Amino acid sequence: MTDPATASHPIQRPIVDEIRDRLTAALSPTALTISNDSAQHAGHLGDDGTGESHFTVTVESGAFVGLSRVGRQRLVHQALADLLRDRIHALAIRARAPGE
């Protein structure tokens, strides 16, 4: 039986889990660290009160070999496009290729 209270408001997974799953699928990272920085921005512009608005991603992937910093960031943005549009206010990206 469906709970009417949640039927119109589906439960969303934590954004950290979404980020991890999407970057893993898109980039097959050899290293991935995601930091939720939202507490540092509580009460500031972009804080939506969820505690999931500001993140730092450090990702190492072979997909970045030969790409500029901007090209690497574009790949991350493509993987997270709808989250960046709808749920993430700020995302700091540290992207490197293996061995860098």
Side-chain angles (χ1 to χ4, degrees):
M1 183 165 123
T2 303
D3 180 354
T6 60
S8 63
H9 295 71
I11 297 172
Q12 295 179 331
R13 295 177 58 212
I15 294 177
V16 170
D17 294 342
E18 289 285 341
I19 293 170
R20 182 176 296 104
D21 290 351
R22 291 171 187 217
L23 292 179
T24 298
L27 303 173
S28 300
T30 52
L32 176 60
T33 304
I34 304 162
S35 173
N36 183 341
D37 306 325
S38 302
Q40 298 170 28
H41 302 277
H44 298 166
L45 181 66
D47 173 31
D48 61 4
T50 65
E52 293 190 307
S53 58
H54 295 71
F55 296 88
T56 299
V57 170
T58 303
V59 57
E60 177 183 277
S61 172
F64 298 143
V65 172
L67 294 180
S68 67
R69 181 178 61 85
V70 172
R72 294 171 183 195
Q73 290 183 352
R74 282 185 182 141
L75 288 181
V76 172
H77 278 256
Q78 286 171 359
L80 304 177
D82 64 314
L83 292 177
L84 289 166
R85 183 186 64 240
D86 300 332
R87 297 179 65 196
I88 296 173
H89 174 72
L91 179 68
I93 301 169
R94 297 182 186 121
R96 64 181 185 264
E100 292 183 341

